[in-house]
Amino acid sequence: NAGVTQTPKFQVLKTGQSMTLQCAQDMNHNSMYWYRQDPGMGLRLIYYSASEGTTDKGEVPNGYNVSRLNKREFSLRLESAAPSQTSVYFCASSEGYGELFFGEGSRLTVL
Amino acid sequence: RKEVEQDPGPFNVPEGATVAFNCTYSNSASQSFFWYRQDCRKEPKLLMSVYSSGNEDGRFTAQLNRASQYISLLIRDSKLSDSATYLCVVNMNSGGYQKVTFGTGTKLQVIP
């Protein structure tokens, strides 16, 4: 059972480079989320998509863009990476107000 | 004040001990509550939902006190495999979407 799949799992970037984190879920969930997790800060919401075709900013959206390509896929783009974006990124999906299902995480280092 | 606050720990307890974690939330309009477990370098996974009446799942008991705005998790007969970070999660309907707020987590280390 795949659940939520994120790629890549690891990435090292130089300041100013761009990249896209991909996320796909096979549970037919309407809602999808991107979080970042930093030591001592907990999980913070970057962007979310309540349904296909809609996206909204979360708590820490600056420096990121997202695309809800279809119901399955929700990508996160860093246009010009900064060291402050070094973090672990988690994609998640849910249906209604229930359980969040997370991907395995993407560990990003920006030098 | 943080929306969801937890004692970061670490809680170091011997096998077989009972340990309790508390979590407080600031928004009285919060609607649903959960405990997630996160192993080192892994993704968070749902441990259990928390209901007003309290609920139990094996060695785990969760309680909700809406009046005082806190949630608790009790683990009885701790196992080595319980070592993890426990995240308190509070949900609220915010403009038609599920606003999910995570605490920073409480780290538990069960010692042989």
Side-chain angles (χ1 to χ4, degrees):
Chain A
N1 297 330
V4 179
T5 304
Q6 287 181 235
T7 56
K9 287 188 170 43
F10 300 92
Q11 184 74 50
V12 179
L13 292 177
K14 294 181 180 178
T15 297
Q17 287 185 318
S18 63
M19 75 160 298
T20 299
L21 298 176
Q22 308 284 356
C23 175
Q25 51 95 6
D26 62 3
M27 295 172 284
N28 204 36
H29 287 162
N30 280 310
S31 301
M32 297 186 74
Y33 308 81
W34 276 105
Y35 287 89
R36 61 177 288 174
Q37 188 173 34
D38 303 290
M41 300 291 287
L43 282 151
R44 292 182 292 167
L45 182 64
I46 304 171
Y47 271 92
Y48 67 95
S49 171
S51 61
E52 183 180 354
T54 69
T55 61
D56 284 286
K57 295 177 180 179
E59 183 184 353
V60 288
N62 292 345
Y64 305 95
N65 286 300
V66 290
S67 296
R68 183 76 183 265
L69 304 170
N70 47 54
K71 192 170 186 179
R72 290 188 64 249
E73 297 172 289
F74 188 38
S75 63
L76 178 72
R77 182 160 179 83
L78 287 70
E79 291 291 352
S80 179
S84 61
Q85 294 178 305
T86 293
S87 188
V88 180
Y89 292 85
F90 288 102
C91 177
S93 71
S94 74
E95 191 58 48
Y97 300 100
E99 178 181 358
L100 280 170
F101 292 85
F102 286 87
E104 293 183 338
S106 299
R107 285 166 174 75
L108 175 65
T109 300
V110 183
L111 302 175
Chain B
R1 182 184 173 189
K2 289 183 181 178
E3 289 190 56
V4 179
E5 293 201 63
Q6 294 182 251
D7 182 340
F11 284 62
N12 296 314
V13 302
E15 272 187 289
T18 296
V19 62
F21 307 137
N22 289 326
C23 165
T24 58
Y25 61 95
S26 61
N27 195 324
S28 60
S30 299
Q31 296 168 302
S32 55
F33 310 88
F34 304 88
W35 284 101
Y36 279 70
R37 170 192 170 129
Q38 186 173 25
D39 293 303
C40 188
R41 301 182 69 79
K42 297 286 189 180
E43 74 273 23
K45 293 184 179 179
L46 180 68
L47 177 65
M48 59 195 303
S49 303
V50 187
Y51 304 115
S52 298
S53 55
N55 50 299
E56 189 173 307
D57 183 3
R59 298 181 292 107
F60 298 84
T61 301
Q63 296 274 356
L64 167 63
N65 185 319
R66 285 191 181 269
S68 301
Q69 294 182 206
Y70 80 80
I71 306 150
S72 64
L73 176 68
L74 182 77
I75 305 175
R76 291 180 299 278
D77 189 22
S78 298
K79 310 291 185 191
L80 294 176
S81 58
D82 294 333
S83 297
T85 296
Y86 291 83
L87 304 171
C88 173
V89 179
V90 174
N91 286 13
M92 187 174 66
N93 184 355
S94 176
Y97 103 96
Q98 179 187 193
K99 181 181 178 184
V100 181
T101 305
F102 286 80
T104 53
T106 299
K107 187 172 182 179
L108 172 66
Q109 185 68 48
V110 180
I111 304 164

